[in-house]
């Protein structure tokens, strides 16, 4: 409330209907007025628009030009083409990419920036945005303040980050999330070859993650390489084939070096 009057909610237009756009739109609906969802697929646009009670479009010509904030949440290689296909209407324009620099907007918008939520998203599991760390960047001090205020409506964990810093964040996220999940895939295959269930790994995986609440990753490292147990490593290595064998070798050597067993 300001001066006894309820402040007007910002009008947000979402360009994209994928994993990030879905969780973001769902979080925004209680703090902003989500007025439109754009997607090349009208079915995808309608699916999300129904959840946030707004209009769905698949034609840029029908884009609402009176929005306050426009969020481009599409594949990285499509961001520039979306910018080129939309009007420079004086609103605040944002993209949600970790690796696309802010300069993608340069010369095409006056107020723009980046709103990068550090999380793995999927349509089937809506993320609680209040727990997500959001990294922002604006093309001016004023734009940065506006983006910070906007992001702070969703999360208390808002940080400024340059395009270069955000690139490093994205790389780190690939290691921590994408590569880690691929390790789970390989573990599942190894177990499957022995006729054993992947569910047997779940308590171990959960315990490994939970330790990080009070230990550094370096301190919580366990396993044969962390102990310098080369005999066990050789046994494991000889039981594997294909890319699993090479991945096991590379990771074991990396851990051995960090633990001081090799140089």
């Amino acid at each position: 409330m300001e001066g006894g009057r309820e402040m007007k909610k910002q009008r947000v237009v979402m360009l994209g209907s994928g994993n990030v756009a879905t969780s973001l739109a769902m979080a925004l609906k209680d703090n902003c007025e989500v007025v439109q969802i754009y997607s090349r697929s009208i079915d995808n646009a309608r699916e999300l628009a129904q959840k946030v009670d707004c209009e769905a479009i698949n034609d840029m010509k029908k884009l609402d030009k009176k929005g306050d904030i426009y969020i481009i949440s599409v594949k990285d290689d499509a961001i520039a083409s979306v910018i080129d296909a939309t009007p420079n209407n004086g609103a605040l324009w944002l993209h949600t990419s970790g690796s696309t620099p802010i300069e993608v907007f340069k010369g095409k918008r006056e107020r723009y920036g980046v709103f990068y939520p550090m999380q793995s998203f999927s349509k089937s599991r809506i993320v609680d945005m209040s727990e997500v760390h959001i990294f922002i960047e604006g093309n001016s001090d004023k734009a940065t303040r506006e983006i910070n205020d906007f992001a702070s409506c969703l999360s208390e964990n808002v940080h400024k980050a340059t395009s270069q810093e955000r690139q490093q964040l994205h790389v780190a996220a690939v290691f921590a999330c994408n590569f880690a999940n691929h390790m789970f895939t390989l573990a599942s295959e190894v177990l499957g070859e022995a006729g054993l269930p992947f569910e047997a790994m779940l308590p171990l995986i959960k315990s490994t993650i939970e330790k990080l609440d009070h230990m550094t990753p370096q301190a919580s490292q366990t396993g044969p390489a962390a102990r310098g147990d080369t005999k066990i490593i050789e046994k494991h290595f000889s039981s594997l084939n294909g890319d699993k064998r090479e991945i096991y070798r590379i990771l074991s050597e990396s851990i051995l070096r960090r633990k001081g067993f090799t140089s």
Side-chain angles (χ1 to χ4, degrees), residues 13-194:
V13 175
M14 183 71 64
L15 294 108
S17 61
N19 296 330
V20 178
T22 297
S23 280
L24 191 49
M26 294 293 288
L28 286 171
K29 69 177 183 177
D30 294 328
N31 299 287
C32 303
E33 181 185 358
V34 181
V35 296
Q36 205 172 54
I37 304 291
Y38 164 82
S39 174
R40 289 183 300 174
S41 165
I42 191 62
D43 290 337
N44 289 344
R46 285 171 178 161
E47 180 183 0
L48 180 52
Q50 287 174 358
K51 294 177 180 178
V52 296
D53 190 24
C54 73
E55 181 185 17
I57 63 169
N58 67 341
D59 184 352
M60 288 291 192
K61 295 178 182 177
K62 297 180 180 179
L63 196 71
D64 189 321
K65 298 178 178 62
K66 296 182 180 179
D68 298 307
I69 300 174
Y70 292 75
I71 302 176
I72 302 174
S73 187
V74 298
K75 293 180 180 180
D76 287 12
D77 58 6
I79 293 174
S81 61
V82 169
I83 294 171
D84 290 339
T86 50
N88 182 7
N89 59 352
L92 178 62
W93 286 76
L94 308 172
H95 74 63
T96 61
S97 168
S99 292
T100 302
I102 191 173
E103 284 76 19
V104 70
F105 287 109
K106 192 171 183 179
K108 300 174 182 179
R109 297 292 188 273
E110 282 78 42
R111 298 164 57 219
Y112 57 86
V114 180
F115 179 104
Y116 175 48
M118 174 59 72
Q119 181 55 280
S120 176
F121 295 91
S122 62
K123 287 185 177 182
S124 60
R125 180 179 176 272
I126 301 302
V127 168
D128 181 357
M129 291 296 295
S130 68
E131 298 180 354
V132 175
H133 287 251
I134 301 172
F135 294 85
I136 66 167
E137 183 179 13
N139 71 308
S140 67
D141 290 342
K142 182 179 179 181
T144 301
R145 287 194 299 271
E146 289 178 316
I147 300 167
N148 183 77
D149 290 344
F150 175 62
S152 296
C153 290
L154 301 180
S155 173
E156 294 182 358
N157 303 305
V158 180
H159 318 272
K160 295 178 184 177
T162 65
S163 292
Q164 184 177 4
E165 290 168 339
R166 203 170 59 254
Q167 171 87 12
Q168 293 303 103
L169 283 163
H170 199 194
V171 171
V174 169
F175 275 101
C177 177
N178 306 140
F179 287 170
N181 191 73
H182 186 61
M183 295 300 102
F184 302 154
T185 300
L186 298 185
S188 178
E189 291 176 0
V190 169
L191 290 166
E193 291 167 3

Side-chain angles (χ1 to χ4, degrees), residues 223-236 248 256 261:
R227 298 190 300 270
D229 194 338
T230 55
K231 289 184 178 180
I232 293 296
I233 291 172
E234 286 299 324
K235 285 184 179 180
H236 289 175
Y248 189 97
L256 286 166
F261 293 110

